[in-house]
Amino acid sequence: MDTENNILEVAKRTIRIESAAVKNLENSLDSAFAKAVNHIHTAQGRVIITGIGKSAIIAMKIVATMNSTGTPAIFMHAADAIHGDLGIIQKNDVVICISKSGNTPEIKVLVPLIKNFENKLIAITSHQDSFLGKEADFVLHAPIEEEACPNGLAPTTSTTAQLVVGDALAICLLELKGFTDKDFARYHPGGALGKKLYLRVQELIDQNAKPQVTSNSTLRDVIVNISENRLGMTVVVDETKLIGIITDGDLRRMLSTGKNIDSLTAADIMTTSPKTIDADDMAVQAREVMEEYNVSQLVAVNKDGYAGVVHIHDLIREGIL
């Protein structure tokens, strides 16, 4: 396989095989899946997810997805479980065991121990008639026709199917809990993802200068104010009431007219209907307004009037744009 076309064909074949398996999962869902979801939803404990080999890695991913969507979950490696980590399992916890074959030695040792604890056991397996499938309280069937690996050895299609079943569990639980974007923000306070959900305009303008002039300010005062505050604009106010803005573009356009500038005031060159946003709005809404009107800054307002300026650079800095 030394040509570009051969490489692409192998890649496409892999995607076709795995896509077909994922599609077939729809036909494998039955009442056991719904019962398993309802049991997890009503259980008083956590979800303990275990597996061996590549299935253990899938288990860790499902744990991460559940934790981030409101279902408390913990990973327990099947091999470590029989050497002390069984202490992770507490009363009322639900255990999910992931295994393609359902017959690995570690699973055969672990499953009876879990059953002795009287915790409900959910299996995700490709073989319903396996040891795991027969012992589980709920069996979530993840059948595959073949691994994408041409030798049929490396877990590829099977682990993809396991992951999709885990995602389906997590999303069903999310919807049952009525998990909202605000809940999501509470669990994702860091990074751009969280900021899109919780960062407000007020928090951005608090970091900026608050440029302002009055309507009778001289052109010189306007230029100095824009230069000092380095936001490319200033706001024209009557006390706290917003009456207009002047951008550096307004200044350039005015100077290009050749008019006598000695007697000009802010009122002569300001834009009287600037684009505004409420200081309590989400920062992501500021991005949307900027994109809609093709502007790089917005005047933030609150119940008292002019509150500050949010600039496109603020959104870039916070990873929102």
Side-chain angles (χ1 to χ4, degrees):
M1 190 186 73
D2 56 358
T3 70
E4 188 173 293
N5 287 337
N6 287 340
I7 291 171
L8 291 175
E9 180 49 40
V10 170
K12 291 176 182 179
R13 183 188 69 215
T14 301
I15 293 170
R16 284 195 302 270
I17 292 171
E18 298 199 7
S19 296
V22 170
K23 179 63 177 176
N24 190 47
L25 288 176
E26 291 186 52
N27 301 320
S28 300
L29 292 179
D30 56 19
S31 62
F33 184 91
K35 290 175 182 176
V37 170
N38 280 320
H39 183 77
I40 295 172
H41 179 58
T42 57
Q44 298 300 307
R46 308 154 303 173
V47 178
I48 311 298
I49 309 183
T50 188
I52 194 79
K54 303 301 184 295
S55 294
I57 297 172
I58 297 302
M60 286 189 279
K61 167 57 173 66
I62 298 171
V63 164
T65 300
M66 286 189 172
N67 280 327
S68 69
T69 53
T71 300
I74 297 175
F75 170 70
M76 179 182 71
H77 196 282
D80 294 334
I82 59 179
H83 293 284
D85 279 6
L86 270 174
I88 292 173
I89 304 175
Q90 301 296 307
K91 183 180 179 181
N92 298 321
D93 286 346
V94 181
V95 180
I96 299 176
C97 187
I98 305 175
S99 172
K100 176 191 175 183
S101 71
N103 289 314
T104 58
E106 295 86 357
I107 296 301
K108 287 186 174 181
V109 173
L110 176 61
V111 166
L113 298 174
I114 296 172
K115 300 289 284 185
N116 286 340
F117 287 177
E118 298 185 350
N119 296 82
K120 290 296 183 180
L121 177 62
I122 300 171
I124 299 178
T125 182
S126 296
H127 299 280
Q128 291 175 298
D129 59 350
S130 64
F131 177 81
L132 175 60
K134 292 176 180 178
E135 292 294 321
D137 297 289
F138 308 99
V139 180
L140 311 186
H141 194 203
I144 65 165
E145 291 189 5
E146 61 178 321
E147 297 285 8
C149 167
N151 299 315
L153 299 174
T156 44
T157 312
S158 58
T159 48
T160 298
Q162 292 166 359
L163 182 59
V164 172
V165 171
D167 283 345
L169 278 173
I171 299 306
C172 287
L173 291 165
L174 177 155
E175 295 207 3
L176 281 174
K177 292 172 183 289
F179 195 82
T180 67
D181 57 351
K182 290 182 180 178
D183 297 317
F184 195 82
R186 286 196 300 129
Y187 295 131
H188 297 77
L193 184 61
K195 288 179 179 179
K196 287 180 180 180
L197 293 168
Y198 78 82
L199 188 65
R200 297 189 181 275
V201 170
Q202 183 66 57
E203 296 171 68
L204 296 177
I205 64 176
D206 284 344
Q207 302 175 50
N208 289 337
K210 188 179 177 182
Q212 63 184 66
V213 296
T214 63
S215 59
N216 60 0
S217 294
T218 65
L219 183 59
R220 181 184 184 281
D221 291 338
V222 170
I223 294 172
V224 169
N225 189 266
I226 291 176
S227 299
E228 287 180 345
N229 291 295
R230 306 180 69 178
L231 288 171
M233 53 89 72
T234 189
V235 176
V236 186
V237 298
D238 180 1
E239 294 183 351
T240 61
K241 181 182 178 182
L242 168 67
I243 59 175
I245 65 166
I246 301 172
T247 67
D248 51 9
D250 293 327
L251 290 175
R252 288 193 297 271
R253 284 187 290 272
M254 180 274 300
L255 292 171
S256 69
T257 64
K259 291 181 179 179
N260 181 0
I261 65 174
D262 294 337
S263 60
L264 290 179
T265 65
D268 297 319
I269 58 175
M270 68 181 182
T271 299
T272 56
S273 299
K275 298 297 181 289
T276 63
I277 190 166
D278 194 287
D280 197 44
D281 283 348
M282 307 304 294
V284 70
Q285 292 174 266
R287 183 198 70 186
E288 292 167 358
V289 175
M290 288 183 187
E291 290 176 344
E292 180 179 357
Y293 293 101
N294 194 28
V295 295
S296 58
Q297 63 263 63
L298 297 170
V299 180
V301 296
N302 56 28
K303 61 183 178 61
D304 297 318
Y306 171 49
V309 175
V310 56
H311 195 280
I312 193 170
H313 291 161
D314 301 324
L315 305 181
I316 294 172
R317 182 184 67 243
E318 298 294 344
I320 294 175
L321 189 65

